[in-house]
Amino acid sequence: MAADRASYLRDLGITVWTRRGGSAAVVPAADADTAADPLSREATIATLDWPALEQTVRGCTACGLRAGCTQTVFGVGVRRAEWLIIGEAPGADEDKQGEPFVGRAGQLLNSMLTAIGLKREQVYIANILKCRPPNNREPKPEEAELCRPFLERQIALIRPKLILALGRIAAQNLLNTETPIGRLRGQVHQLGTIPVVVTYHPAYLLRSPGEKRKAWVDLQLAVRTLRGQGP
Ligand code: URA
């Protein structure tokens, strides 16, 4: 397990020093969909249980993205997880498999989780959008708005102890802000009573491996926050 952790940390770009003769040490581095009135749509979604929510998402055509994607990508993981990880939207791999973060970015996300002692199976993973935007373009504000009640209901059902927002789109939509990600990192935000920590999107980290060190700092902030040890 120690060897596993060291290899995941290396994957994250974190230098692992091995003490002579010792162990490794880390050096910093439904109906709802058809409701015409948006308020009644939101109110209806806010009452759904897991099966009804999943079914409603599957049948949703509210924003038009569903026509161009293979399937909806609802979310995956423990339905009472302490950690809720939120990304942007499904990409090609996720669209094909119906599960968030299963492509290269997903592999790096798995490594990031392993680095803080978590298995993918212990958390819940979802996205701002449930449907893949064409050519992986950014979600439009109106698409995010129409999809938001589904994510809000997931959050209400999961009641996570911490939300980790991956990337600018997730962070800005969740926190309802246009503040750049560089300024959203490094502090603990609140979504109602739930602490939110922001870090870079794994796809960005794959393109900019030099930023992995900052992501590691963010992950450590998230761990401390969840343990109640503050920023
Ligand atoms: N990127 C995301 O933001 N979400 C996914 O599910 C996959 C890639």
Side-chain angles (χ1 to χ4, degrees):
M1 183 65 201
D4 267 8
R5 182 161 181 265
S7 99
Y8 284 121
L9 287 168
R10 262 192 300 276
D11 193 23
L12 267 180
I14 309 299
T15 312
V16 179
W17 296 74
T18 308
R19 279 187 215 102
R20 249 173 270 152
S23 56
V26 179
V27 173
D31 281 342
D33 183 38
T34 51
D37 172 3
L39 280 181
S40 80
R41 176 178 183 268
E42 280 176 33
T44 307
I45 293 172
T47 65
L48 301 178
D49 61 10
W50 280 110
L53 183 62
E54 201 159 358
Q55 196 188 338
T56 305
V57 166
R58 218 176 290 128
C60 178
T61 54
C63 76
L65 284 178
R66 181 66 190 88
C69 71
T70 308
Q71 58 189 315
T72 54
V73 178
F74 181 71
V76 71
V78 180
R79 292 184 163 178
R80 294 306 301 267
E82 294 192 338
W83 289 74
L84 171 58
I85 319 289
I86 301 182
E88 180 177 325
D93 294 314
E94 292 75 22
D95 180 66
K96 226 179 275 162
Q97 295 187 40
E99 183 173 327
F101 283 100
V102 289
R104 279 187 70 221
Q107 284 168 19
L108 180 55
L109 174 60
N110 294 347
S111 295
M112 292 164 77
L113 293 173
T114 305
I116 51 171
L118 287 172
K119 292 197 185 84
R120 180 180 171 94
E121 298 73 34
Q122 288 176 281
V123 305
Y124 196 92
I125 308 174
N127 281 310
I128 295 294
L129 293 190
K130 308 291 187 223
C131 290
R132 182 192 182 201
N135 303 315
N136 295 341
R137 68 153 168 76
E138 275 184 17
K140 294 181 181 167
E142 58 273 25
E143 292 161 352
E145 190 58 32
L146 284 163
C147 222
R148 188 177 174 101
F150 296 134
L151 183 58
E152 280 179 351
R153 185 60 187 150
Q154 284 173 305
I155 295 171
L157 288 166
I158 296 167
R159 291 200 270 141
K161 287 200 178 147
L162 183 121
I163 294 176
L164 182 67
L166 301 176
R168 176 179 64 85
I169 296 288
Q172 291 183 340
N173 277 287
L174 270 178
L175 300 171
N176 198 17
T177 178
E178 294 188 356
T179 305
I181 185 160
R183 286 209 277 124
L184 293 173
R185 291 185 51 247
Q187 38 177 319
V188 181
H189 308 268
Q190 292 289 137
L191 190 66
T193 57
I194 305 168
V196 179
V197 171
V198 173
T199 193
Y200 291 118
H201 194 287
Y204 169 75
L205 294 175
L206 288 170
R207 295 192 301 273
S208 310
E211 300 287 57
K212 285 181 179 177
R213 186 167 295 268
K214 291 188 194 163
W216 173 237
V217 172
D218 299 333
L219 291 173
Q220 288 173 307
L221 170 62
V223 169
R224 282 199 307 279
T225 302
L226 195 132
R227 287 188 189 145
Q229 293 163 358

